[in-house]
């Protein structure tokens, strides 16, 4: 429930701006392998480590594929993209409360009419162990149960792809010429 999508129109420079300005709904972190250049239908590679980013910047030749790094809360891209490309990605939001208007998300509840987006049983389990801890009561079992429930919900949220143990890799679109399946009459 905390996964959101953002779209970004690129600037013709390395620094694309603050992530909180690009992903405006409570940006916490980018979901791995989700930044795609929708204009050229290619993934944007990254995130790059400090070491790899500096090595890439030191090289004279740079490849045609965009690579990104998030540093100091800013999206950095190399090589600098052309202005006006459409990029999209998914990210985790820290806004887990929906306001009464049904459209505004926020991090903290301010009204009785606000709605918590997280599963009710999970919220109650979290409140239970925290309340016991504050009161000096034994809370270890409640905490363990809560942690197990969180892991279970994270593991089943949104469905999961098949995990292949063989040579199969990425099953999505690949760069190149795409020809749809089907019968083709060739003269």
């Amino acid at each position: 429930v905390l996964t959101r999508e953002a779209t970004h129109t690129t600037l013709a420079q390395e620094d694309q701006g603050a992530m909180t300005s690009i992903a405006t709904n409570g940006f916490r972190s980018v979901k791995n392998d989700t930044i795609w250049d929708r204009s050229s239908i290619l993934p944007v590679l990254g995130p790059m480590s400090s070491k790899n980013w500096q090595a890439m910047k030191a090289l004279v030749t740079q490849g045609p594929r965009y690579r990104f790094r998030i540093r100091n809360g800013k999206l950095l891209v190399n090589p600098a993209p052309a202005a006006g490309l459409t990029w999209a990605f998914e990210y985790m939001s820290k806004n887990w409360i929906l306001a009464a208007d049904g459209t505004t998300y926020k991090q903290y509840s301010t009204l009785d009419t606000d709605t918590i987006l997280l599963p009710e049983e999970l919220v109650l389990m979290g409140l239970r162990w925290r309340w016991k801890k504050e009161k000096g009561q034994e809370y270890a079992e409640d905490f363990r149960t809560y942690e197990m429930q969180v892991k279970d919900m994270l593991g089943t949220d949104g469905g999961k792809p098949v995990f292949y143990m063989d040579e199969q890799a990425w099953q999505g679109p690949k760069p190149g010429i795409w020809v749809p399946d089907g019968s083709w009459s060739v003269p």
Side-chain angles (χ1 to χ4, degrees):
V1 298
L2 300 179
T3 300
R4 308 271 189 268
E5 183 180 66
T7 56
H8 171 64
T9 303
T10 59
L11 307 171
Q13 59 192 37
E14 179 178 282
D15 185 349
Q16 296 296 304
M19 290 303 296
T20 54
S21 298
I22 298 169
T24 57
N25 194 356
F27 175 79
R28 180 181 300 260
S29 63
V30 172
K31 295 196 85 163
N32 286 339
D33 301 324
T34 65
I35 300 182
W36 275 75
D37 178 351
R38 290 189 178 170
S39 300
S40 63
I41 314 170
L42 288 170
V44 178
L45 306 175
M48 296 190 72
S49 68
S50 301
K51 177 182 174 183
N52 290 341
W53 180 262
Q54 291 304 321
M56 180 186 63
K57 297 283 289 178
L59 295 173
V60 176
T61 59
Q62 297 174 355
R65 301 285 298 278
Y66 299 115
R67 289 171 169 74
F68 80 93
R69 171 170 171 71
I70 297 173
R71 184 175 63 205
N72 297 328
K74 293 186 174 195
L75 178 62
L76 305 177
V77 179
N78 191 289
L85 300 176
T86 300
W87 289 6
F89 62 93
E90 291 188 359
Y91 66 97
M92 293 300 295
S93 174
K94 58 185 173 187
N95 294 342
W96 57 285
I97 295 174
L98 181 63
D101 65 8
T103 57
T104 305
Y105 295 93
K106 50 191 181 177
Q107 188 174 3
Y108 302 107
S109 181
T110 55
L111 300 169
D112 289 343
T113 54
D114 291 342
T115 303
I116 295 174
L117 298 173
L118 299 173
E120 185 176 317
E121 64 271 16
L122 190 63
V123 173
L124 291 174
M125 285 179 167
L127 288 172
R128 185 174 296 120
W129 80 261
R130 286 176 176 90
W131 184 85
K132 286 183 176 182
K133 179 181 177 189
E134 286 298 314
K135 296 296 178 184
Q137 296 179 5
E138 177 58 41
Y139 65 93
E141 184 59 28
D142 291 308
F143 178 67
R144 188 185 72 76
T145 303
Y146 168 76
E147 280 192 319
M148 287 177 27
Q149 190 69 26
V150 167
K151 287 178 186 176
D152 183 56
M153 287 188 175
L154 285 173
T156 58
D157 184 42
K160 300 296 175 218
V162 175
F163 180 68
Y164 293 99
M165 296 290 287
D166 61 0
E167 297 276 333
Q168 285 185 318
W170 169 247
Q171 299 296 311
K174 295 177 176 71
I177 298 172
W178 180 75
V179 178
D181 294 336
S183 296
W184 297 92
S185 56
V186 180

